[in-house]
Amino acid sequence: MKKFVNDPKDYVSEMLEGLALANPDTLTYVPEYNLIMRADAPQDGKVSIVQGSGSGHEPAHVMSVGKGMLDAACPGDVFSAPPTDYVYETVKRVASPKGVLLLVNNYTGDRMAFEMAEELSQAEGVTVRTLFIDDDVAVQDSTYTVGRRGVAGNFFVMKAVGAAAERGADLDELYRIGEKVNAVTRTMGMALTACTPPAKSSPLFDLPDDSVEMGVGIHGEPGRKREKLQPADAMVGELVSAVVEDLPFVSGDSVALMVNGLGGTPIGELYLVYGRAHRQLTALGIEIKRSYVGEYCTSLDMAGASVTLVRLDDEITELLADPADIPIRVF
């Protein structure tokens, strides 16, 4: 497997350095803690929003730092939760008088790191709340999680609370909004190939050429089942049905539809997936009000895609429409 890698142990730091160098006016990089933060953070008049998780899912979450979304992100190594001190030091640096909201994808290591950092920060008088994101419908539990996993739907939580924070909402209001968006967001993904971490010369798991993993996790965790490769319409139909049935979404709902690439799928294929999903939802009487196609939460170079639906109301729609200024234009 050919990659742009020097020493694998330096992969994350070199990636973060490049990100900061490309955005010198808006981002600050603190190498000791893998910290990417807004150059203008903290601000006295707004709650600071922090996300973490492991690296390897870019543009989540370090490329979502900027006005209208995150104030900081402190990733761990590839597919590894950030150490507690990374999160703790990040909270201290971005803490504002209005407090800090921590957004955490629901994985065991991330929960532990962020909950411990929250306790340490509160002991020093920082006002902090932690919100867990668990939009994945594929499995209830996995090796990495307690309950459902947080996957591409985290984008909508980040976007909504980020917009509300720019408007001056307080910490309790942001937590309410984040919980509300998470509660109406559902995702399911599938892998066509495995991914290869920088420190490995072979794929993370074995997936035969004629097979796909339906419901795969973004770290390569097993999904619902392994099945034979089928025409695109059949596979996309399975993803959409699983998402629709889970909430459930019903005729008359207005939704945001996201087709997210997992890192190794051409954009043309993602639009093909979107077209099939759009037709299926329309046939069910579900109206698509906002559309998102691209890479939002990847798994390194994994070929595959996920489908996310968000049930919209006036409040969520307005917050998703607010402008944001982040390194990657994904909406």
Side-chain angles (χ1 to χ4, degrees):
M1 177 62 69
K2 300 175 184 177
K3 290 182 176 291
F4 287 104
V5 177
N6 295 309
D7 187 329
K9 68 179 178 60
D10 296 328
Y11 171 78
V12 173
S13 61
E14 290 181 346
M15 178 264 291
L16 296 177
E17 179 187 28
L19 175 62
L21 289 172
N23 299 275
D25 297 329
T26 56
L27 298 181
T28 298
Y29 174 40
V30 184
E32 302 94 309
Y33 305 110
N34 279 2
L35 168 58
I36 292 288
M37 59 186 287
R38 285 175 58 169
D40 60 356
Q43 297 180 35
D44 288 350
K46 74 178 290 296
V47 174
S48 292
I49 303 170
V50 175
Q51 173 68 287
S53 191
S55 298
H57 306 302
E58 292 76 30
H61 300 92
V62 291
M63 296 169 195
S64 296
V65 175
K67 184 177 181 180
M69 291 194 74
L70 300 179
D71 291 274
C74 53
D77 290 335
V78 172
F79 294 174
S80 297
T84 297
D85 63 317
Y86 284 22
V87 185
Y88 172 56
E89 293 293 340
T90 295
V91 171
K92 288 200 300 182
R93 281 164 171 75
V94 302
S96 84
K98 296 192 72 169
V100 180
L101 177 64
L102 303 179
L103 301 179
V104 186
N105 288 338
N106 191 39
Y107 297 90
T108 302
D110 296 278
R111 290 186 67 111
M112 291 176 60
F114 277 81
E115 287 175 332
M116 292 177 65
E118 179 184 23
E119 291 180 9
L120 291 170
S121 302
Q122 288 175 337
E124 293 198 8
V126 180
T127 303
V128 188
R129 294 194 72 175
T130 302
L131 175 68
F132 297 104
I133 300 167
D134 58 355
D135 55 300
D136 188 12
V137 308
V139 293
Q140 193 64 31
D141 295 282
S142 75
T143 304
Y144 294 77
T145 63
V146 178
R148 294 188 168 192
R149 307 177 292 214
V151 287
N154 68 68
F155 166 83
F156 294 100
V157 178
M158 289 190 292
K159 183 68 186 68
V161 299
E166 293 293 342
R167 298 179 178 192
D170 64 23
L171 184 56
D172 288 342
E173 176 69 354
L174 293 184
Y175 189 88
R176 178 194 69 80
I177 290 169
E179 275 201 318
K180 176 181 177 179
V181 174
N182 184 62
V184 294
T185 302
R186 298 291 188 273
T187 301
M188 183 152 149
M190 61 174 296
L192 305 180
T193 69
C195 58
T196 303
K200 289 177 63 71
S201 59
S202 59
L204 193 61
F205 58 93
D206 178 57
L207 188 59
D209 288 343
D210 65 347
S211 299
V212 301
E213 186 77 28
M214 187 62 65
V216 71
I218 54 175
H219 307 101
E221 311 98 312
R224 289 188 174 186
K225 60 182 178 179
R226 185 164 292 189
E227 60 184 44
K228 294 299 182 182
L229 181 68
Q230 304 176 69
D233 277 1
M235 294 188 293
V236 178
E238 191 171 342
L239 290 179
V240 173
S241 293
V243 171
V244 167
E245 293 165 6
D246 191 86
L247 192 60
F249 294 88
V250 298
S251 178
D253 280 346
S254 295
V255 301
L257 167 61
M258 171 189 283
V259 171
N260 167 64
L262 294 179
T265 298
I267 189 68
E269 292 182 31
L270 296 181
Y271 273 101
L272 185 154
V273 171
Y274 178 87
R276 173 63 177 87
H278 191 289
R279 293 192 301 272
Q280 184 172 348
L281 293 169
T282 300
L284 293 171
I286 297 171
E287 184 179 9
I288 299 162
K289 288 288 188 69
R290 296 189 65 83
S291 301
Y292 302 79
V293 182
E295 292 182 342
Y296 296 81
C297 184
T298 64
S299 183
L300 292 171
D301 56 350
M302 181 184 288
S306 62
V307 172
T308 301
L309 288 179
V310 185
R311 179 184 286 156
L312 300 176
D313 62 9
D314 290 344
E315 180 182 41
I316 296 174
T317 300
E318 185 176 337
L319 291 171
L320 294 182
D322 268 15
D325 184 11
I326 60 175
I328 300 296
R329 300 293 186 266
V330 291
F331 56 91

